[in-house]
Amino acid sequence: MQLQDLLLSLSVAISTAHAWSPTDSYAPGEITCDADVNLVRNATDLSSDEQEWLKKRDTITESAMKTFLTRATANFSDTSFLDSLFENSSYVPRVGIAASGGGYRAMLSGAGMLAAFDNRTRGANENGLGGLLQATTYLSGLSGGNWMTGTLAWNNWTSVQEIIDSFSDSNTSSIWDITNSIVTPGGNNSTFTSERFASIISDIDDKQEAGFDITLVDVWGRMLSYYFFPSLPNGGAAYTWSTLRDADVFMNAEMPFPISVADGQYPGTSVDSLNSTVFEFNPFEMGSWDPTLNAFTDVKYLGTNVTNGSPIESGKCIAGFDNVGFIIGTSSDILNDITSSYEAVLTYLETEFLSDSTATSDEYTLGIYSPNPFKGTTNIDSNYSTSIVDSDSLYLADGGEDGEVVPFIPLIKKEREIDVVFAFDNDDGSDDWPSGSNLISTYERQFSSQGKSIAFPYVPDLATFSDLGLNERPTFFGCDASNLTDLAYVPPLIVYIPNAQYSYPSNTSTYTLSYSMEERLEMIQNGYEAATRNNLTEDSGFLGCVGCAVIRRKQESLNITLPSECEQCFANYCWNGTLTDVSSVSSSNSSYSNSTTTLSSGAAESTTASSNASNSSSTSSSSAASSSSAAKANAAASVETGKLFSLLTAFGVLFSLM
Ligand SMILES: *[C@@H]1O[C@H](CO)[C@@H](O)[C@H](O)[C@H]1NC(C)=O
Ligand SMILES: *[C@@H]1O[C@H](CO)[C@@H](O)[C@H](O)[C@H]1NC(C)=O
Ligand SMILES: *[C@@H]1O[C@H](CO)[C@@H](O)[C@H](O)[C@H]1NC(C)=O
Ligand SMILES: *[C@@H]1O[C@H](CO)[C@@H](O)[C@H](O)[C@H]1NC(C)=O
Ligand SMILES: *[C@@H]1O[C@H](CO)[C@@H](O)[C@H](O)[C@H]1NC(C)=O
Ligand SMILES: *[C@@H]1O[C@H](CO)[C@@H](O)[C@H](O)[C@H]1NC(C)=O
Ligand SMILES: *[C@@H]1O[C@H](CO)[C@@H](O)[C@H](O)[C@H]1NC(C)=O
Ligand SMILES: *[C@@H]1O[C@H](CO)[C@@H](O)[C@H](O)[C@H]1NC(C)=O
Ligand SMILES: *[C@@H]1O[C@H](CO)[C@@H](O)[C@H](O)[C@H]1NC(C)=O
Ligand SMILES: *[C@@H]1O[C@H](CO)[C@@H](O)[C@H](O)[C@H]1NC(C)=O
Ligand SMILES: *[C@@H]1O[C@H](CO)[C@@H](O)[C@H](O)[C@H]1NC(C)=O
Ligand SMILES: *[C@@H]1O[C@H](CO)[C@@H](O)[C@H](O)[C@H]1NC(C)=O
C-alpha cells in the first residue's frame, strides 16, 4: 500500500469516526470529493435527504401524537375523531415549533416553553403539554431562540430538564452556565479570561491562515460556543453542523428536524421583511426558498470554491467551514445592529481594528461565507436581483434583522405540509415584552414579490394586539381554513405563545449577558408557565384546546366532525378578526382583505417599538462590570495577539454601552 493511500484511508476512518472538521480545529480543510459533484440544487422541493428522514420521523411522531392527543382530549365527550385521524398515517397532523430571538431572554424563556412540551420534563405530563415535543417534526430557531434549539440538537438532543439538573454553583462546565458574561468568562479570574480569549484568537488565526476571511461573527460564535458545548474540547472549535447527520438521535429521527434562520444582508444595506432573502440552515443544506436565490447547497462543503455548484478544482472540496458556533453566531449576529446605534463603538472599531484596512466596519459585523457557495448559480427567477449570486462573498446577518423575529419562513413552506406552528415569542417590544410585530412582518411579506411562495394567516394591527391582550397570553391565528382561501395556499394554524410575567419578570434586556443560576431557573420556570397558562391553573381545559389546534387542519380537510369542546376552545383562543383601532382601517371588513392601510400602520409602529427597545438603557450591572476586567485581561495578553485582542475589547465596550 502506498503511503499516500494509507494516509487517505486513515483520514477517512477518522472522519467517519467523528466527522468533525478535517483539520480537527476551527480551520476548514481540504478533502476529496467526487470529480463530478454538484453541490447546489434548485429549490423546487424538499431535498431527497429531508424526504427520506421525514419517512422515519413520521412513523415516530404518529405514535407519539396518538399518545399526546389521547391524553389531551381525555375529557372530551366524544373521542371517535381520534379513530378517523389515525385511520391512515397521512392524516396525522404535522407540528412545527418556532423559537424567536431576543438574546439570553429568548434562550431561557424559550427553553421553559419548550420544556412544557417535552415529556422528559418533570411535571410536564401532569401540568403541561408534555409529549407534544415528541410528536413535533420541525424545530426552527433564530438568534437567542437558536441558542436554545442549537444547544439541545447539537448535544445529542439533550433536554432542558437535564440541563437544569446539571446546574450548580460549583459546576462551571454545565451547559448554559452564564453566571459570567461572555466578555469575562473567568469572572474574577483574569487568567482564565485571557486564556479563553487567547484560545479564541488562535482559532480565528487558524481559519485566516487557512485562507478564509473572518469577521467579528467568527469571534462571536467562538465566544458563545463555550456556553453551549462545554463538554467538547476547546468549546467545540472543530465541531461541525453537518456532524448531526452522524448522530444516532438524528439518524434515527428521534428528534425534530432543526433549522436555523439568518438573513442575507450586504454591507451598507438594510433589509425588511418585504425585501430580505431569508436563509435556512438545516442538517443537510443551507440556502433560501426566496426568488432572489431559490437554491440550496450541501452545508457540509461550505467554503469550497465553486461556480454554479461545481468545485473550481475538480475533486477538491472544503469541509469544516460549517462550524456549529459560527452558524449559531451568524443567526444571532446582532453586532451590526448594535454598532450602528452606537457611534462611539463604530469609531472605536474603525480606529483600533480597521485602521489599515479598506473594509468598512459593516463588513466586519456580518458573517462572511466566502467563497460564495451560490456564485454563478442560475436558479433565480427572472426579474429578480442577481446580486447574491454575482457576489464573490455571501454575507449573512441575524435572522431577525428583517423584523421577522419568529422564524416562521421555513415552517410555513407549503412543501413541508405543517398543520400547526407553535410560535414562541420572546422578542422585545415595549418594555421588552412582545408586541406581535413579528407576526405582522411575516404576514405582510406574503404580499411582497419576495413572499410570493408563502402564505401566513391574517393577524391584527399592533393596537389590536395590545388592546385585546393577544400579546399577553396564548392566541390562535388562522383557525378557519375557509377564511384563508384568498392566500397562496392554506397556511398552518399559528398558536402564538408570548413571553408574559408569571412567577418572574422575564422582560430582561436582550443585551443582558449574564444570569445567575437562580435567575436562569426563574426565567425557565416562567417560560414554562407562560406556555401552559400557569401550569393549567388559569384554564384547566388549555391542554385540550392545544389538542384542538393540533387537529384543526386535518379535521377540516378530512371533514371530521369538530368535537364540541373545540368549539368553546376556538371561541376562547382564536383571534376572530376583530380590530379595535377602526380608524386605521380603510374599510369595515378589511381584517380579511389585503388592506395596506392597516398593515403599514402596523409596520411603522413595530419599527418604533424595536428602536425604542434597542435604545433602552436597561443595562445589566454585571455586563457593565465585566468590561473593565475584560480590558484588564486584554492588557495582559495584548502583546502577542495584537489586533485581534482589540476586537475583543470592542465587545466589552459594545456591551458596557448597552
Ligand atoms: C415520551 O414520549 C415518547 C414517545 O411517545 C415515549 O417513547 C417515551 O416513553 C415518553 N417518555 C416519558 C417519560 O413519558
Ligand atoms: C409549574 O410546573 C413546573 C414544572 O413542573 C414547576 O417547575 C413550577 O414550579 C410550576 N409552577 C407553579 C407556579 O406551580
Ligand atoms: C453525542 O454522543 C456521542 C455518542 O455517545 C458522543 O461521542 C458525543 O461526544 C456526544 N456529543 C456531544 C456534543 O455531547
Ligand atoms: C484561574 O484560572 C486558571 C486557568 O483556568 C486556573 O488554572 C486557576 O486555578 C484559576 N484560579 C482560581 C483562583 O480559581
Ligand atoms: C429594503 O427596504 C427598506 C425599506 O424600504 C430599504 O431601506 C432598504 O434599502 C431595502 N433593502 C434592500 C437590500 O433593497
Ligand atoms: C475561486 O476561483 C476563482 C476562479 O478560479 C478565483 O478567481 C478565486 O480567486 C478563487 N477564490 C478563492 C477564495 O480561492
Ligand atoms: C428551477 O426551478 C424552477 C421552478 O421549478 C424552474 O422554473 C427553473 O427553470 C429551474 N432552474 C434551473 C436552472 O433548473
Ligand atoms: C379533565 O377535567 C378535570 C376536571 O375538570 C380537570 O382537572 C382536568 O385538567 C381535565 N383534563 C384535561 C386533559 O383537560
Ligand atoms: C370534504 O367535504 C368537501 C365539501 O363537502 C369535499 O369537497 C371534500 O372532498 C371532502 N373531503 C374529504 C376528504 O372527504
Ligand atoms: C371567518 O370569517 C367569518 C366571516 O367573515 C367570521 O365570521 C369568522 O369569525 C372568521 N373566523 C375566524 C377564526 O377568523
Ligand atoms: C370577537 O372578539 C371580540 C374581542 O374578543 C369580541 O368582543 C367579539 O364579541 C367577538 N365576536 C364574535 C362574533 O365572536
Ligand atoms: C389579496 O391579494 C392577493 C395577491 O395580491 C389577491 O390575489 C387577492 O385577491 C387579494 N384578496 C383580497 C380579499 O383583496
Side-chain angles (χ1 to χ4, degrees), residues 264 266 277 279 292-293 372 374 385-391 393-394:
Y266 279 86
T277 302
F279 281 76
T292 44
L293 185 59
N372 178 0
F374 299 105
S385 161
T386 57
S387 60
I388 291 182
V389 305
D390 291 342
S391 172
S393 301
L394 174 67

Side-chain angles (χ1 to χ4, degrees), residues 132-186:
L132 189 46
L133 184 59
Q134 281 63 37
T136 294
T137 304
Y138 286 97
L139 177 62
S140 68
L142 162 170
S143 203
N146 189 47
W147 297 349
M148 186 271 286
T149 58
T151 297
L152 299 179
W154 273 265
N155 277 293
N156 287 324
W157 192 234
T158 186
S159 64
V160 173
Q161 183 73 61
E162 257 182 85
I163 293 177
I164 288 175
D165 291 347
S166 73
F167 284 168
S168 82
D169 286 321
S170 56
N171 181 0
T172 52
S173 64
S174 79
I175 292 173
W176 298 346
D177 181 351
I178 50 175
T179 304
N180 293 324
S181 143
I182 56 169
V183 291
T184 47

Side-chain angles (χ1 to χ4, degrees), residues 20 154-156 229 231-232 239 247-248:
W20 290 15
W154 273 265
N155 277 293
N156 287 324
F229 308 109
S231 69
L232 300 183
Y239 194 34
D248 288 343

Side-chain angles (χ1 to χ4, degrees), residues 91 554-560:
Y91 298 170
K554 287 292 193 282
Q555 172 266 321
E556 289 172 308
S557 61
L558 299 167
N559 299 329
I560 297 170

Side-chain angles (χ1 to χ4, degrees), residues 460-478:
D461 58 303
L462 281 182
T464 301
F465 261 102
S466 133
D467 292 343
L468 298 181
L470 305 178
N471 56 337
E472 290 169 359
R473 57 180 144 74
T475 305
F476 303 171
F477 295 97

Side-chain angles (χ1 to χ4, degrees), residues 115 118-128 159 161-162 164-165 528 535:
D118 190 344
N119 74 359
R120 298 171 296 175
T121 308
R122 282 191 294 278
N125 301 335
E126 288 82 45
N127 60 22
S159 64
Q161 183 73 61
E162 257 182 85
I164 288 175
D165 291 347
Y528 184 101
N535 293 7

